[in-house]
Amino acid sequence: MKRNLLVLLTLLLTVTLFACGGEEPATADAVLTVSGGEVEESYSAADLRALSATTATVEGITYRGVSLPTLLEDAGFDPEQIATVEAVADDGFSATYEPELFAREDTVVAYERADGELAGDEQPFRMVLPEQRGRLNVRMLVRLEVSQ
């Protein structure tokens, strides 16, 4: 009886430790999908790092990533033909950007902070729009939907 109780307690402790474990950093298989019309491209963090890097600062934190105009062009979009870009988080939250925001070179899709990884509540990617506070800086970014 004591042995069964000990096994049960050990199992319960193991399950509890796994459930309460720390947040995982962004994995190598995290993907950002950029889509609209006939175009759909997927980017890993490594793919984004292969594009020209830039930095942007919001609320005192500097982020490293790729400018949104650069990413949209790489995905095959003509910047002159884009009406809006919607940034969608993994929980369904979204923000829509008009040309005055998505065409700015300092609007960045961040894959890391300048001093290390994105925080757990920002991963796998984050929109960074300097001088824009709150809801426009979408965290947990997984998709960009382009309307032409």
Side-chain angles (χ1 to χ4, degrees), residues 83-97:
T84 62
V85 175
E86 182 180 19
V88 182
D90 70 354
D91 64 359
F93 177 82
S94 66
T96 301
Y97 309 126

Side-chain angles (χ1 to χ4, degrees), residues 35-40 77 145-148:
S35 64
E38 302 285 319
V39 177
E40 182 167 309
F77 292 99
E145 296 179 2
V146 178
S147 298
Q148 298 179 323

Side-chain angles (χ1 to χ4, degrees), residues 8 102 109 145:
L8 181 61
F102 72 71
V109 176
E145 296 179 2

Side-chain angles (χ1 to χ4, degrees), residues 23 34 60 68 84 89 91 102 113 116 119 129 142:
E23 293 178 6
V34 182
L68 185 54
T84 62
D91 64 359
F102 72 71
R113 288 183 176 197
L129 288 83
V142 293

Side-chain angles (χ1 to χ4, degrees), residues 67-127:
S67 74
L68 185 54
T70 298
L71 179 59
L72 294 172
E73 285 186 47
D74 187 78
F77 292 99
D78 177 356
E80 298 297 318
Q81 301 299 314
I82 300 173
T84 62
V85 175
E86 182 180 19
V88 182
D90 70 354
D91 64 359
F93 177 82
S94 66
T96 301
Y97 309 126
E98 301 294 328
E100 60 272 4
L101 292 177
F102 72 71
R104 292 174 48 168
E105 286 296 322
D106 64 348
T107 296
V108 172
V109 176
Y111 45 77
E112 64 189 10
R113 288 183 176 197
D115 62 356
E117 294 179 350
L118 292 175
D121 66 345
E122 298 175 311
Q123 296 178 12
F125 306 105
R126 178 186 177 147
M127 290 301 304

